[in-house]
Amino acid sequence: MNSRVRTIAVFLVMAIVIPALAQASGTVPAGAKISVVTDQSVSSKTAKAGQTVSGSVAQDVTSGGKVVIPKGSEVKLTVSSAQASGRLSTPAKLYLRLRSVTVGGKTYTIATSSAGRTLGGKGKRDAGFIGGGAAGGAVIGALAGGGKGAAIGAAAGAGAGTAGAAATGKKDIEFPAETKLAFTVRAPVTIN
């Protein structure tokens, strides 16, 4: 009976020790890609550089055929750059950087590229609003009052076009919870 208990005990110890030894370890090389899913939303309207955002690894990170960072590992991201949309010419931008990953209860600092986006410039669209308003105002003013009316109409139309561009121009970037972002590792990191 004692040998049976001893055999079961050895089997249980092996069942616990072998997976622990096989736990993630290795080096994540520079240039490796790490896909992350955010746990919370972040917006260019309210985000500040340095703000922390939590997330998790979206898929296993492997090196040499071995899992180094398992899917689901907790990560911390920081806002590396944020700018709310301006009314006329300032496009919104929002970029995050992966700062750390927790594997097996240990937290590792990682240097990565930033991931995010910048909305395209609105200069041409806004110029169209303003120029179109000015031209329309000049035509109406010329019909109503001649040369002086055209100048007054152009100024009024440009003002209306500027107001239209300002009223329709603010578009911020928002990454809702569960947004998938990809980061490139800049320097190798060893996970033990």
Side-chain angles (χ1 to χ4, degrees), residues 12-175:
L12 289 174
V13 167
M14 296 288 279
I16 292 170
V17 170
I18 290 175
L21 293 175
Q23 223 176 24
S25 67
T27 299
V28 179
K33 303 287 186 202
I34 300 177
S35 292
V36 169
V37 176
T38 60
D39 289 344
Q40 62 195 84
S41 66
V42 62
S43 168
S44 63
K45 186 175 183 176
T46 57
K48 303 287 183 231
Q51 174 183 334
T52 301
V53 178
S54 62
S56 60
V57 175
Q59 61 191 43
D60 290 342
V61 177
T62 60
S63 178
K66 188 175 180 183
V67 174
V68 181
I69 303 174
K71 176 181 177 178
S73 296
E74 179 184 323
V75 298
K76 294 292 180 199
L77 310 162
T78 54
V79 175
S80 58
S81 180
Q83 178 174 290
S85 176
R87 288 209 179 267
L88 292 176
S89 63
T90 307
K93 68 178 175 179
L94 181 60
Y95 289 88
L96 304 177
R97 187 168 296 205
L98 176 58
R99 286 295 179 204
S100 68
V101 62
T102 301
V103 178
K106 289 176 73 176
T107 301
Y108 300 89
T109 300
I110 296 182
T112 68
S113 63
S114 291
R117 67 179 210 207
T118 300
L119 289 182
K122 303 177 306 185
K124 287 182 182 177
R125 185 185 69 89
D126 289 349
F129 264 112
I130 295 165
V139 168
I140 293 170
L143 292 174
K148 186 176 180 183
I152 294 169
T162 301
T168 62
K170 285 190 76 139
K171 292 188 180 179
D172 287 299
I173 299 168
E174 180 160 353
F175 297 148

